[in-house]
Amino acid sequence: MLKATIFSVPVMCVVWNSEVMPATKKNFDNSHIGLTFNKLLKEIGNPVEFELPDWFIKCKPPMPYTFIKRNIYLTKKIKRRIEDDGIFCSCSSSPGSSGVCDRDCHCGMLLSSCSSGCKCGNSCLNMAFHHRPVKKMKLVKTKKCGSGIVADEDIKRGEFVIEYVGEVIDDKTCEERLWKMKHCGETNFYLCEINCDMVIDAMYKGNKSRYINHSCCPNTEMQKWIIDGETRIGIFATRDIKKGENLTYDYQYEHLHYSLISYCRHSI
Ligand SMILES: C[S@@+](CC[C@H](N)C(=O)[O-])C[C@H]1O[C@@H](n2cnc3c(N)ncnc32)[C@H](O)[C@@H]1O
């Protein structure tokens, strides 16, 4: 339950949410405005406690974050090319296909993008997503899941939607951040596991993909691609999506270290 304390003083009105921001209160107490406020408080007497109305809690603005285009590594960047496994890109279009290699070429089947060895050259379609435009999407308030994302244009099945980017951290940092969030009472997590010791955390830095909510009947999916030796996560449409539809994917959150009271498709 969120509680606030309001002091009605002519001109100055301070709303303090003691459960969410304890660190800020300390800074506030020592600041000039804090000292003045405390002096005023002594003169006024005891504050009155009240519960914040539901509409206020629901209207809580989304947490600010820094927009980034590419992952930022806070851990060692491990580059692993498929060539390291003795697989070299010598793809060419298969007979009867559209004339360029697609996801059915050797590299595509390994979810690795083609390299310069590919005989299709610039027209190659197995170029993962790093050269493809991001779909138009809008940030919205959902009924039950805080902020969410809706498509702002029709999207076709299989099309690339957006890359999931954030800070790439190791397991230890991830655990530290989770504890910190627990202490702050933060319930929104922005974690995506790349492998057993690498997680993309879009809590502080990311793009709109950080707002895509979970559903067990999703319309997009996450795909791991190796692009120039780096594992990157692309979000792709699993069916045709109409403009205005909520974008969702399945978090498969049993892999992560937290649980989620999940609302599914229709209630998001
Ligand atoms: C990646 S964020 C998604 C954006 C988030 N809704 C926000 O307001 O910033 C993931 C968090 O959203 C909430 N969330 C996402 N999908 C949900 C669902 N289906 N049911 C309940 N909560 C959900 C959970 O708090 C989760 O930790």
Side-chain angles (χ1 to χ4, degrees):
M1 184 204 310
L2 285 175
K3 278 187 182 168
T5 310
I6 187 160
F7 305 96
S8 62
V9 183
V11 189
M12 186 162 78
C13 171
V14 175
V15 177
W16 168 248
N17 181 339
S18 60
E19 283 177 37
V20 177
M21 297 163 66
T24 318
K25 185 176 188 309
K26 210 171 168 191
N27 296 340
F28 177 79
D29 277 347
N30 293 329
S31 67
H32 176 67
I33 190 167
L35 292 171
T36 314
F37 181 71
N38 284 334
K39 206 171 143 201
L40 275 171
L41 184 57
K42 273 189 199 139
E43 284 173 25
I44 296 163
N46 289 333
V48 186
E49 273 206 347
F50 69 98
E51 274 170 35
L52 285 170
D54 269 2
W55 63 261
F56 181 87
I57 297 163
K58 280 184 193 145
C59 290
K60 204 172 89 169
M63 178 128 156
Y65 72 99
T66 306
F67 171 80
I68 51 170
K69 283 189 176 162
R70 285 287 307 272
N71 285 329
I72 293 177
Y73 278 75
L74 302 187
T75 181
K76 196 170 174 285
K77 192 172 185 174
I78 300 165
K79 282 210 162 197
R80 177 136 197 94
R81 296 170 193 277
I82 56 165
E83 287 86 338
D84 299 339
D85 295 326
I87 302 165
F88 295 90
C89 177
S90 56
C91 298
S92 55
S93 57
S94 44
S97 74
S98 57
V100 280
C101 60
D102 208 339
R103 293 286 296 279
D104 52 356
C105 72
H106 290 154
C107 293
M109 283 188 272
L110 294 166
L111 290 187
S112 186
S113 56
C114 284
S115 66
S116 52
C118 174
K119 296 196 177 57
C120 307
N122 286 341
S123 50
C124 179
L125 292 177
N126 183 40
M127 284 297 182
F129 48 80
H130 50 312
H131 295 310
R132 296 193 220 164
V134 168
K135 293 290 173 201
K136 288 187 196 147
M137 55 188 80
K138 267 197 314 208
L139 180 65
V140 292
K141 268 274 160 221
T142 64
K143 282 190 211 134
K144 296 187 173 167
C145 303
S147 302
I149 287 287
V150 294
D152 206 19
E153 65 178 309
D154 290 350
I155 303 173
K156 287 213 167 62
R157 183 178 172 202
E159 280 187 326
F160 167 66
V161 178
I162 191 169
E163 179 174 357
Y164 194 91
V165 294
E167 292 174 300
V168 182
I169 54 175
D170 59 19
D171 223 25
K172 191 170 163 277
T173 313
C174 180
E175 202 177 322
E176 284 163 9
R177 286 189 176 188
L178 283 169
W179 277 110
K180 195 170 150 197
M181 287 166 77
K182 188 176 158 66
H183 288 136
C184 296
E186 181 56 62
T187 51
N188 283 327
F189 297 87
Y190 302 88
L191 303 164
C192 169
E193 207 167 40
I194 300 183
N195 59 39
C196 60
D197 193 33
M198 255 197 205
V199 173
I200 300 179
D201 184 8
M203 174 90 184
Y204 307 108
K205 292 177 183 168
N207 61 15
K208 281 187 185 160
S209 68
R210 72 195 286 285
Y211 290 113
I212 300 180
N213 284 317
H214 160 85
S215 171
C216 39
C217 301
N219 49 19
T220 71
E221 68 177 7
M222 282 190 154
Q223 290 177 10
K224 261 189 221 182
W225 278 81
I226 299 167
I227 304 167
D228 293 329
E230 181 191 337
T231 306
R232 289 166 63 178
I233 309 286
I235 297 174
F236 291 78
T238 49
R239 60 166 172 79
D240 290 349
I241 303 170
K242 285 258 163 269
K243 179 177 175 175
E245 266 189 72
N246 269 300
L247 296 183
T248 55
Y249 61 87
D250 185 347
Y251 286 9
Q252 300 182 2
Y253 47 82
E254 65 273 17
H255 299 308
L256 290 171
H257 318 277
Y258 65 92
S259 58
L260 172 78
I261 302 162
S262 172
Y263 299 106
C264 248
R265 194 169 45 153
H266 300 298
S267 50
I268 290 176

